[in-house]
C-alpha cells in the first residue's frame, strides 16, 4: 500500500512504499525526488502532515509512529503504540 501526504501549500509531498523502510520526498513544483527518509521499523502505512506543516507523522505495520521534521526530513521522535504488529491509522485534529 502506498500513502501520500502533501503540505498545505501544495509544494512538498511524502510517499510511503519506497524505500520499504521509509518515505520518498518529492518537490511537487519541480516534480523531482528531493530525498528519502529511512530507518523506520516496519513498513510505512499511513502518512499525515501537521496543520502548521512543521511535522510529518508516519505509522508503520509494526505499531510504531514516527515524527519527521518537515524541513529537514529527519526523524525526530518514535513512539510504540502497540506491542503487536498492527496497522495504525493517523488522524490529526484540525483544532
Amino acid at each position: 500500500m502506498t500513502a501520500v501526504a502533501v503540505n498545505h501549500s501544495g509544494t512538498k509531498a511524502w510517499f510511503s512504499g519506497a524505500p520499504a523502510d521509509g518515505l520518498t520526498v518529492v518537490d511537487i513544483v519541480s516534480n523531482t525526488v528531493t530525498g528519502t527518509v529511512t530507518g523506520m521499523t516496519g513498513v510505512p502505512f499511513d502518512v499525515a502532515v501537521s496543520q502548521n506543516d512543521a511535522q510529518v507523522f508516519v505509522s508503520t505495520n509494526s505499531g510504531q509512529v514516527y515524527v519527521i521534521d518537515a524541513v529537514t526530513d529527519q526523524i525526530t521522535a518514535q513512539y510504540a503504540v502497540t506491542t503487536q504488529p498492527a496497522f495504525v491509522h493517523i488522524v490529526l485534529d484540525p483544532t
Side-chain angles (χ1 to χ4, degrees):
M1 179 181 157
T2 298
V4 62
V6 178
N7 67 1
H8 293 86
S9 60
T11 58
K12 191 173 183 179
W14 295 264
F15 290 87
S16 67
D21 68 341
L23 302 175
T24 299
V25 184
V26 175
D27 179 315
I28 295 174
V29 176
S30 65
N31 195 32
T32 57
V33 173
T34 58
T36 57
V37 181
T38 59
M40 298 178 201
T41 301
V43 177
F45 177 68
D46 206 2
V47 185
V49 178
S50 65
Q51 281 293 103
N52 64 0
D53 284 340
Q55 298 169 313
V56 178
F57 299 90
V58 182
S59 64
T60 68
N61 67 346
S62 65
Q64 304 291 311
V65 173
Y66 291 86
V67 181
I68 298 168
D69 182 297
V71 174
T72 65
D73 294 319
Q74 299 295 311
I75 296 171
T76 59
Q78 173 185 353
Y79 302 97
V81 294
T82 181
T83 57
Q84 301 178 31
F87 293 100
V88 177
H89 288 280
I90 298 174
V91 178
L92 299 178
D93 183 351
T95 58

